[in-house]
Amino acid sequence: MPVNGILSGVHFMNGDEACAEGAIAAGCRLFAGYPITPQSEIAERMSYRLPQVGGVFIQMEDEIASMAAVLGGAWGGMKAMSATSGPGFSLMMENLGLGMMTETPCVVINIQRGGPSTGLPTLVGQADMMQARWGSHGDYGVIALSPSSPQEAFELTIRAFNLAETYRLPVFVMSDEMVGHMYERVVIDPERIETVERRKPAKPPEKFLLYEPGPDLVPQGMPLFGDGYRVHITGLTHDERGYPVIDAETQNRTVTRLKEKIAHNAAQIISYEERDLDSADIVIITYGIAARTSLGALELARKQGLKVGMLRLTTVWPLPTTKIIELAERIAGFVVPEINLGQVVLEVERVVAGKVPVRCVPHAGGDIHQPEQILHAIEEVLKDAA
Amino acid sequence: MPLKAKELPAPEILRAESHPMKRYLRTDRLPHIWCSACGLGTALSCFVYALDEMQLDLDDVGVVSGIGCTGRVAGYVNLDSYHTTHGRAIPFASGLKVAKPKKKVIVFSGDGDLFAIGGNHFIHAARRNIDITVICVNNFTYGMTGGQFGPTTPLGSRGTTAPYGNYENPFNLPYVAASCGAVYVARWTSLHARRLKEAMVEAIAKPGFTFVEIISPCPTNYGRRNRLGEGIDELRYYAEKSVIRHGANPKDADLYPGSEILIGKFVELERPTFLEVYEERVMKKNSGR
Ligand code: SF4
């Protein structure tokens, strides 16, 4: 039974539904979206659940409008989100850029399917990871989380809302069709759920600057529509007042901070699960559904006496670079399985910088890896390292 | 009988230290970027006079703009103001409105922004009857980018991408708005400042999706390329060609080069708003949970 609107107890639900319940638990009260496979269960659940908690579900005319409405709702004071998949994610990119530029807290869930274009509407993919990183034009820092199970979809959606409020930006939950449609046990204890509420402006209107950063490089509080602060927000390059200033110096100051506020707070943002790293010669770096198959590969390898560990990224962006560098100093190599033709692996390679071999285990999408494919890659890396 | 150009009354010149509507403007952002004789200044002053007449608490009013010359309105009003992406002011405003249902949300943008790149959002917001006011400054061109033809450019008129004259059929904006479900539709020109202000007052006061079109000169681009003379000449043209007909069928409001300009209040009707229907049909089913 819901307690204060939050579902509680033990449930059997899929990853999409778990995202919706996580959003409700985090305090999301506006969902603006457009139907697309394989995320529709999120929209459907939100259309049913939001009215129960006094929220609004609005089905927009497309994903461009959905993203715009989410930003408007956020400036109106709501915790707001949208959910989509590949083609819709592409349509959201321009307004995601507006969200980054205006430092608007909100959440976007991408239940990834095979691409490019219409690709594989009903089948799994993880090929939007670089789009999440770089998809809108211009420079900015991003946060992207990736769940491997419905339970984690619930938890990471809450975390996404908390990170959005803390660091003032649209935060991505990069799930996938397989986790989205997988039914598993989801245990919800409302007592243990922590939420972060929107920071109010620290100063009265006459002293307040909309984008004046605190020591954490994040603007100090967000005045909402009607709070009396008479905010002006714009996607144009702006100064601390929020007023457009079209010059190189302001561009440097504003845009560098958008990137740096994530880098500066990376230690608080980064999250991962370690498995058998202490005794590992080879480390699998993976995320989302690919981590489930990787676990099978890890077990097969251990049975053969191969010392394999796993670094499962629950925050993919920013990447835990310090951890990866530390591992690169003492292990024989990395294996990076992902359901794309090599995306996160590019960043791993950059960080490892040739110290040890890094091998991608690509998959074009439509299915998950076989554990044997990953095991084979592990054996190859061991051979290279020997 | 429309006034002949030479009969136009001479304006009364007010002398003051500062603008009488100063409290509605971000004076630290002035002077504005608009060209002299552009209709946008008139559109903005009608808007602030409308707000003044309505005596609204200014914390209860938000302005959302898209991109373009008109898109800059959001930057000059001393209100919560949101300068969004090209064409997306309406869906942003929709989110803002559902988050703060008691406040007034006004979209101020141009013809290209609202009806080309943003056309889909316009028709669906009107269909939903989301409770916002859309004020469209229609100058028949993309001014900010240098005078390309747009979705309202009359057939045969020139633009920088229509050097041989526009070869596309334009939208008749009041007709589009009315047929998509807007509950208030009016068209005025920037010459009809007092009536325009009254239309803004009515549109802002009325619940539901309300629409005001302002026919407005762009002497720098549209006017120059079509040899319409100075800004004042365009106003003279409006004086000559405008025909006020309240309650006219918006279907008859097509504009051609040289045609009459049908202006007035075309639509005023009652229809429950998006949030009223949501409350009635959705929220009430969940009360007591
Ligand atoms: S380009 Fe045209 S619309 Fe833009 S400010 Fe100048 S006159 Fe006005």
Side-chain angles (χ1 to χ4, degrees), chain A residues 61 95 226 230-234, chain B residues 59 80-81 83 85 121 128:
Chain A
E61 50 276 15
N95 282 331
R230 308 280 170 84
V231 300
H232 178 62
I233 68 155
T234 176
Chain B
D59 291 340
D80 284 318
S81 52
H83 182 222
T85 45
H121 310 310
R128 277 181 203 112

Side-chain angles (χ1 to χ4, degrees), chain A residues 32 49 90 128 171 221 240 266 272 276 304-305 314 323 343 351 366 377:
Chain A
R49 289 283 281 128
S90 293
D128 306 346
V171 171
E240 285 66 21
Y272 48 77
D276 300 335
Q304 292 182 19
T314 44
K323 184 76 194 172
Q343 296 195 7
V351 172

Side-chain angles (χ1 to χ4, degrees), chain B residues 33-36 38-40 69 139 143-144 217-221:
Chain B
I33 63 161
W34 296 318
C35 310
S36 59
C38 173
L40 277 162
C69 293
N139 54 23
M144 181 75 86
C218 167
T220 301
N221 281 305

Side-chain angles (χ1 to χ4, degrees), chain B residues 54 97 104-105 129-133 182-185 199-211 265 267-271 273 276:
Chain B
M54 295 179 85
K97 179 68 189 183
K104 298 281 184 194
V105 177
N129 200 24
I130 190 110
D131 185 9
I132 61 175
T133 295
V183 295
Y184 180 97
V185 178
M200 288 178 176
V201 170
E202 287 179 353
I204 295 167
K206 189 170 176 60
F209 187 88
T210 57
F211 178 65
K265 175 164 62 180
V267 176
E268 192 170 29
L269 50 85
E270 305 304 315
R271 201 155 72 85
T273 68
E276 283 166 358

